């Protein structure tokens, strides 16, 4: 590394990850290029950056904690870092006083071998109590299947020598490996699993003793197992821990493999556990194996061992696998793919017993997609605080940590809690509904669980009892018992149970001989939710209410739940068994369903034994044959967490409605309470009650919505007006809800006194209702929408402030809507003068200014604010005051898949009737989900915007500021009743309630579903980049960086200084704030306008867009697609290879910054020049001229201005440079050129047709395609071009474009300037040499001195000092010297930008004069080189 260069910020693919627990803290080590990065997991802070290698990318990180150092009060961790053929040992020291302080306390020199390292692991310490004395022992495996030992003897206080002692230890069967996994099992055996280039998976073994004793030898080990079957190269293999299932097969171990063929295969290697190393050596003889892809149906080499399961996964190749630890009942593994997703798979115990002849299928459980672009290159797992953490790193440079639920909470498909409505009560029309909570099991759950729930629910209450008794013994009489029975609900007497009945029966037994005997008996019946079982218990003789011991459990048979609702359904049956000393009791239960009613039920006993032999059959019928008379349902049953997932078809039949009651709509009245309306007109209040367990809260908030949330339900009211139809909206901050009916009644619910009252009536049906509160007056504005598309009713309500009282309707008025304006969104802003915004179904935005003391006085409409799709929400963003004018910024979302920000000016146009005011769209963005964007909220304190909506069947919450997904819930899609409330403070949490299959679902989380330790950038190659300086609304200066990539997106980020002194190498930071998604192909070029208010972008399919950038108070700059250049061919199949822009001045010589000259070159060898006029209402691009070079593709274009002429200089794939003189063509197009400026003449007529312009000069420069070019103006008529090509050459060309005396010199060429194609060139001007005698002499002799930066696909950044003396002829006065040659961490560099001076810090304000003073304070100008390709890197030049 040259002393002039210092690596700064970088965002490259993450190629290695490793968790390291240190004391009570968890750290994550990451390999990014050659750098080792250390993150503190909880705080997400980057604590250390250490360059482990000069240029080699890190591929493996293996770390382990040693022990404390009492002398230095530190904890030591040794880290084995590998990459390619290199290996290095590093010791990290963590300070005990502040464990987050990390330093590199020792390291070895890099070891460089002959072959690629594919896996490594530490060996156990000889003396675990004395790590220093034990030394370090490790092994690593190369791609030639050779195992090497690594030994390192520590010195005092863990000091380590500078060199690793590496020796050959063993070798497996000869093969070329793509992947391997070394696993230590037993007391000293090494298992080595390998995956080959030719699709084979093999396993071999050796002992640790042999590895250490026979170092230096390479005796080939035999293959224990060889598994054919993959149809592509094996990219990943993994050996599981010992697995103990519930069968009698003993301990089991498995191996997983993944391949280029997108398949995952599980192999049974359990026999390895049973055999010792000696036995393995004796049983296996080494044999030569064939290479090439094997027959998938071939049998395994070892009998009884083979493939037990397989699956096809991911959209593309699968790179690696990990088994989840601690799986004793359900074996799970994660796969990491080229499609940038993590997929979870399940292999239940019963499937683990299958054989290779009949392998099972892995069950897909879940998909985690937290990365963009392609490829998850690295991953690691650990168990921390009882939770499984998985960290992933991808091509996008992002590091993500998420929690996978532990085994005891895992059931495939489990996502949410669910409720159905049942009716229990005496009042025939006002029975209290019970919302029964259903569990979150996937399909296939036993119907007996449903039956147990329904049976226990139906038992409660009073019954008529008739029992027949038949005895075969004379000691027990036969006869008939008649009487009454009662199941009385009471609090469970045992905490293990969730509900309990005390059973009492009284009656008279009439024997066959006519004897009457009066009697009674007691039992207890209990229900346990966890197992969904009913049990009958004996009670004590001396205390009939005290439970004694178990009588029997009631076990239900499997029966289709759908049959239960039929009138002719068969009884549901259950059995029970009890052994009383020598007598055996068999009980049989039958439950008779009368349609959807619980009719009668019976218990029959068959008692056999040496002292008993009789049968009984007891029939229970309702006392008055009315199912609603049973009111003894246990109160705790209403909040049970049941364990079934089947639709509950047993529902209420209201006396006034034969249909089953069901949930209708929802509205949140606080962050933990919501109202639900039903089809029968009921209003229910649901209150969330969440687990306080730390583990439960983490699991429920960081992983796939597996929440332990419960809901406590209460019945508020039954409103006949809301039967069958209702609309509901709410204001959670006020605890207020508004409900509307089909007849125009408007009701108001108040949470503070839990009451509901009639507010007013409108003459028509309420089709929609919206509500918002004034933050200043605490008045609520309610917009009531009727089917009449011409008007909207607005109500103003008071009484919700601190002194809460009766709700008062203080004002109502009608808004006259634009024609055919169906309102779908509403909001209001302001105080005395109210701004009301309404969105329509057709995408229009209407705004009204309302004087509460007078009439409406202004209205404005923005048509197609969201195309022709519905606007779904309108929200307040910011308020700006200036020059006596008030400007309101509002944000809207729509079903066109976009969210927008609008500027509403207070200025009114009084010449129009009605008066209108200015509405302008300033920002539009399309998040990575949709098209149904349903809502948003802006948090001004945090300056963050959250938006939510649907992607297919999933509900998504997205942080638009951080560009991060924070919630993902599979709810079935947008066509359903739902309501969402977001947490305060933009923490990333919220609660969602929705209806699916007539069932209420609730999901709750308190933070984002995953943690991002490093944000990253594009997930594909960056192909274009541009920087600019932007001034915000307060005059502050910031530097913005725009990048475009093959993933078709454009990302705009702040480029600012990083003040973190702990990581001094990183003095820049990128903070992305916008993503532009309009391009449909890879982005080819980016250019900022000189003032940074326009961004020009180009790509394939002739796409050329202009984006307008403007400040928004309290938010990042707004970005709006301002214009689209028309395509030049009907097929739209050309790619815009490059373009250049130039600002056009007005007649007075000042630049209006919204007129530009644009020159584009295409893949068909054509060139076009355009005049872009941003102020024209349409047809903003005017074609000035076209031209054609030849049949080769043009790759580069630059606009060059001289004193009297303006040129377009292009380069092509034939290695030539060509010139077009544009001066006359611009004049013919109504422009003027004068001394380097293009001037816009507004009153000059524009031609309707454009001319064809021929090129003037053609100069050969390279042997093949020209990939990069920079232009240096050295005089009024001379320019110097530096070009780089596919031929690895760097060429310099002097052009004298004097029309009277043109000079065309032969270019000097540096033939092997790089080892690969030169893809980017930039230059910066240097001051005159310090030995110049005077300024006049310098001006006469050395006209120009500049530094040239070049980069290439060889990942080298080189600098050249170029001086030019124009007094000499041609290029004889050109002097070129290479000064520096450094490695870049960015592969396949496509573009380069220079950050010159102190502006690259950004954000510090000040004018150009202040910045100049700061620059003069430095001895040398500061330049930073920003490189982009597969990642981004900033290299500082001092």
């Amino acid at each position: 590394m040259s002393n002039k260069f210092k690596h700064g910020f970088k965002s490259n693919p993450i190629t290695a990850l490793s968790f390291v627990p240190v004391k009570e803290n968890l750290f994550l080590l990451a390999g990014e290029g050659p750098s080792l990065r250390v993150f503190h997991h909880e705080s997400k802070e980057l604590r250390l950056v250490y360059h482990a290698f000069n240029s080699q990318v890190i591929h493996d990180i293996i770390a382990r904690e040693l022990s404390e150092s009492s002398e230095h009060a530190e904890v030591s961790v040794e880290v084995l870092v590998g990459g390619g053929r290199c290996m290095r040992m590093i010791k990290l020291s963590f300070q005990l006083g502040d464990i987050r302080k990390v330093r590199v306390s020792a390291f070895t020199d890099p070891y460089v071998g002959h072959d690629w390292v594919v896996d490594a692991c530490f060996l156990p310490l000889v003396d675990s109590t004395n790590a220093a004395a034990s030394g370090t022992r490790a092994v690593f495996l190369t791609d030639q299947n050779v195992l090497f030992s690594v030994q390192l003897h520590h010195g005092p206080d863990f000091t380590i020598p500078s060199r690793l002692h590496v020796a050959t230890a063993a070798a497996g069967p000869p093969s070329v490996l793509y992947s391997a996994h070394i696993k230590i099992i037993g007391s000293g055996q090494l298992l080595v699993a390998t995956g080959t280039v030719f699709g084979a998976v093999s396993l071999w073994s050796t002992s640790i003793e042999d590895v250490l004793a026979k170092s230096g030898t390479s005796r080939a080990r035999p293959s224990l197992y060889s598994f054919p079957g993959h149809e592509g190269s094996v990219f990943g293999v993994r050996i599981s821990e010992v697995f103990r299932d519930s069968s009698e097969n003993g301990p089991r171990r498995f191996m997983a493999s993944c391949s280029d063929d997108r398949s995952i295969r599980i192999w049974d290697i359990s026999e390895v556990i049973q055999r010792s190393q000696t036995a393995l050596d004796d049983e296996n003889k080494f044999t030569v194996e064939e290479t090439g892809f094997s027959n998938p149906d071939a049998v395994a080499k070892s009998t009884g061992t083979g493939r037990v399961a397989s699956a096809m996964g991911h959209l593309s190749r699968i790179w690696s696998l990990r088994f989840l630890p601690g799986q004793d009942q359900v074996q799970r593994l994660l796969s990491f793919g080229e499609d940038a997703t993590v997929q979870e798979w399940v292999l239940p115990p019963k499937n683990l017993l299958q054989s290779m002849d009949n392998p099972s299928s892995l069950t897909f459980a879940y998909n985690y997609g937290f990365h963009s672009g392609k490829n998850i290159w690295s991953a690691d797992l650990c168990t921390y605080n009882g939770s499984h953490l998985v960290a992933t790193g991808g091509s996008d440079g992002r590091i993500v940590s998420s929690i996978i639920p532990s085994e005891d909470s895992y059931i495939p498909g489990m996502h949410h809690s669910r409720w159905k409505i049942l009716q229990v009560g005496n009042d025939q029309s006002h029975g209290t509904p019970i919302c029964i909570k259903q569990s979150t099991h996937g399909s296939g759950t036993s119907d007996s669980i449903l039956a147990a729930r329904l049976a226990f629910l139906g038992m409660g209450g009073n019954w008529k009892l008739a029992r027949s008794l038949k005895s075969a013994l004379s000691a027990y009489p036969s006869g008939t018992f008649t009487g009454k029975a009662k199941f009385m609900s009471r609090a469970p007497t045992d905490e293990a149970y969730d509900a309990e009945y005390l059973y009492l029966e009284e009656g008279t037994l009439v024997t066959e001989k006519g004897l009457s005997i009066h009697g009674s008996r007691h039992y207890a019946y209990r229900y346990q939710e966890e197992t969904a079982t009913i049990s009958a218990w004996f009670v004590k003789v001396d205390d009939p209410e005290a439970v004694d011991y178990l009588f029997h459990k009631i076990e239900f048979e499997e029966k289709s739940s759908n049959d239960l609702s039929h009138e002719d359904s068969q009884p549901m049956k259950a059995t029970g068994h009890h052994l009383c000393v020598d007598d055996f009791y068999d009980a049989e239960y039958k439950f008779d369903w009368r349609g959807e009613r619980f009719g009668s039920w019976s218990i029959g006993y068959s008692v056999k034994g040496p002292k008993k032999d009789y049968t009984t059959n007891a029939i229970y019928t309702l006392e008055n044959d009315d199912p609603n008379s049973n009111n003894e349902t246990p109160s705790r049953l209403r909040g049970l967490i049941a364990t079934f997932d089947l639709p509950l078809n047993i529902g209420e039949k209201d006396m006034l409605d034969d249909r089953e009651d069901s949930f209708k709509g929802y509205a949140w009245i606080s962050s933990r309470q919501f109202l639900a309306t039903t089809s029968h007109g009921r209003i229910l209040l649901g209150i969330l009650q969440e687990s306080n367990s730390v583990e439960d809260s983490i699991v429920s908030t960081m992983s796939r919505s597996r929440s332990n949330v419960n809901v406590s339900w209460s019945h508020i009211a039954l409103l006949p007006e809301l039967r069958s139809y209702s609309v509901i909206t709410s204001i959670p901050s006020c605890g207020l809800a508004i409900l509307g009916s089909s007849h125009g009644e408007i009701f108001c619910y108040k949470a503070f006194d839990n009451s509901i009252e009639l507010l007013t009536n409108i003459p028509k049906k309420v089709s929609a209702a919206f509500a918002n509160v004034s933050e200043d007056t605490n008045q609520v504005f309610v917009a009531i929408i009727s089917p009449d598309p011409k008007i909207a009713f607005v109500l103003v309500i008071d009484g919700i402030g601190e002194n809460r009282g009766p709700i008062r309707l203080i004002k109502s008025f009608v808004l006259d809507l634009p024609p055919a304006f169906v309102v779908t969104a509403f909001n209001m802003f302001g105080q005395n003068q109210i701004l009301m915004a309404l969105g329509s179904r057709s995408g229009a935005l209407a705004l009204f200014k309302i004087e509460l003391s007078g009439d409406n006085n202004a209205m404005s409409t923005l048509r197609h604010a969201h195309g022709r799709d519905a606007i779904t929400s309108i929200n307040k963003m910011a308020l700006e005051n200036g020059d006596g004018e008030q400007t309101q910024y509002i944000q809207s979302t729509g079903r066109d898949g976009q969210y927008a920000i609008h500027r509403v000016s207070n200025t009114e146009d009084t010449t129009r009737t009605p008066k209108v005011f200015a509405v302008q769209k300033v920002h539009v963005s399309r998040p990575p989900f949709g098209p149904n964007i349903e809502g948003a909220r802006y948090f001004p304190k945090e300056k963050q915007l959250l938006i939510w909506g649907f992607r297919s069947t999933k509900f998504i919450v997205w942080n638009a500021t951080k560009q991060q997904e924070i919630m993902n819930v599979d709810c079935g899609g947008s066509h359903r009743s739902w309501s969402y409330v977001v947490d305060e403070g933009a923490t990333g949490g919220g609660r969602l309630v929705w209806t699916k299959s007539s069932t209420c679902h609730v999901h709750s989380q308190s933070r984002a579903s995953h943690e991002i330790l490093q944000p990253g950038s594009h997930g594909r190659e960056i192909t274009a980049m541009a920087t600019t300086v932007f001034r915000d609304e307060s005059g502050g200066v910031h530097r913005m960086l725009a990048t475009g990539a093959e993933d078709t997106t454009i990302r705009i980020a702040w480029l600012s200084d990083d003040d973190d002194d702990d990581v001094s190498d990183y003095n820049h930071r990128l903070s992305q704030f916008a993503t532009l998604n309009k391009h449909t192909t890879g982005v080819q070029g980016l250019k900022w306008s000189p003032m940074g208010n326009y961004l020009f972008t180009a790509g394939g399919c002739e796409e050329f867009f202009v984006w307008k950038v403007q400040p928004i108070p309290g938010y990042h700059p707004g970005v709006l697609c301002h214009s689209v250049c028309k395509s030049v061919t009907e097929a739209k199949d050309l790619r815009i290879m490059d373009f250049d822009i130039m600002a056009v001045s007005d007649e007075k010589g000042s630049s209006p910054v919204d007129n530009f000259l644009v020159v584009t070159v295409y893949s068909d060898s054509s060139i076009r020049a355009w005049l872009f006029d941003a102020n024209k209402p349409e047809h903003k691009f005017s074609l000035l001229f076209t031209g054609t070079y030849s049949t080769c593709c043009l790759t580069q274009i630059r606009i060059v201005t001289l004193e009297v002429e303006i040129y377009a200089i292009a380069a092509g794939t034939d290695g030539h440079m060509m010139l077009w003189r544009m001066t006359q063509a611009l004049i013919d197009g109504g422009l003027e050129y004068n001394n380097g400026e293009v001037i816009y003449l507004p009153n000059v007529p524009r031609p309707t047709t454009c001319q064809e312009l021929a090129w003037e000069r053609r100069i050969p420069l390279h042997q093949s395609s020209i990939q990069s070019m920079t232009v240096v103006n050295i005089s009024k008529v001379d320019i110097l071009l530096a070009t780089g090509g596919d031929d690895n050459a760097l060429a310099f060309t002097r052009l004298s474009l004097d029309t009277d005396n043109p000079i065309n010199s032969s270019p000097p060429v540096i033939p092997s300037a790089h080892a690969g194609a030169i893809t980017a060139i930039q230059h910066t001007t240097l001051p005159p040499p310090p030995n110049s005698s005077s300024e006049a002499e310098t001006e006469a002799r050395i006209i120009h001195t500049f530094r040239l930066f070049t980069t290439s696909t060889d990942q080298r950044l080189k600098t050249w000092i170029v001086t030019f003396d124009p007094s000499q002829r041609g290029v004889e006065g050109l002097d070129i010297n290479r000064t520096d040659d450094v490695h870049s961490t960015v592969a396949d560099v496509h573009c380069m930008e220079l950050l010159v001076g102190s502006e690259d810090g950004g954000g510090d304000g000040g004018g150009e004069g202040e910045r100049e003073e700061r620059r003069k304070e430095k001895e040398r100008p500061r330049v930073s080189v920003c490189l982009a390709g597969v990642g981004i890197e900033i290299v500082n030049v001092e």
Side-chain angles (χ1 to χ4, degrees), residues 1234-1263:
N1234 184 13
N1235 195 25
E1237 286 190 349
V1238 177
I1239 302 172
Y1240 181 76
L1241 305 176
N1243 299 322
V1244 175
R1246 311 294 171 192
T1248 57
T1249 60
C1250 67
Q1251 59 178 299
E1252 181 78 19
L1253 193 65
W1255 54 272
E1256 288 191 356
R1257 302 187 191 180
R1258 177 173 178 268
I1259 305 170
L1261 300 177
H1262 293 268
Q1263 299 177 7

Side-chain angles (χ1 to χ4, degrees), residues 1416-1436:
K1416 288 182 178 180
E1417 292 177 1
K1418 300 179 180 181
E1419 295 182 0
R1420 298 179 182 178
R1422 177 182 175 184
V1423 178
S1424 295
V1425 183
C1426 187
L1427 305 172
V1430 183
I1432 302 176
E1433 180 185 22
I1434 297 178
V1435 180
N1436 300 315

Side-chain angles (χ1 to χ4, degrees), residues 369 393 479 531 640 959 969 1025 1264 1417:
T531 58
L640 290 180
N959 189 317
V969 181
M1025 178 172 57
S1264 55
E1417 292 177 1

Side-chain angles (χ1 to χ4, degrees), residues 55 236 245 271 760 892 1069 1191 1253:
S55 59
D245 61 18
E271 290 185 11
T760 188
S892 64
R1069 178 177 294 166
T1191 59
L1253 193 65

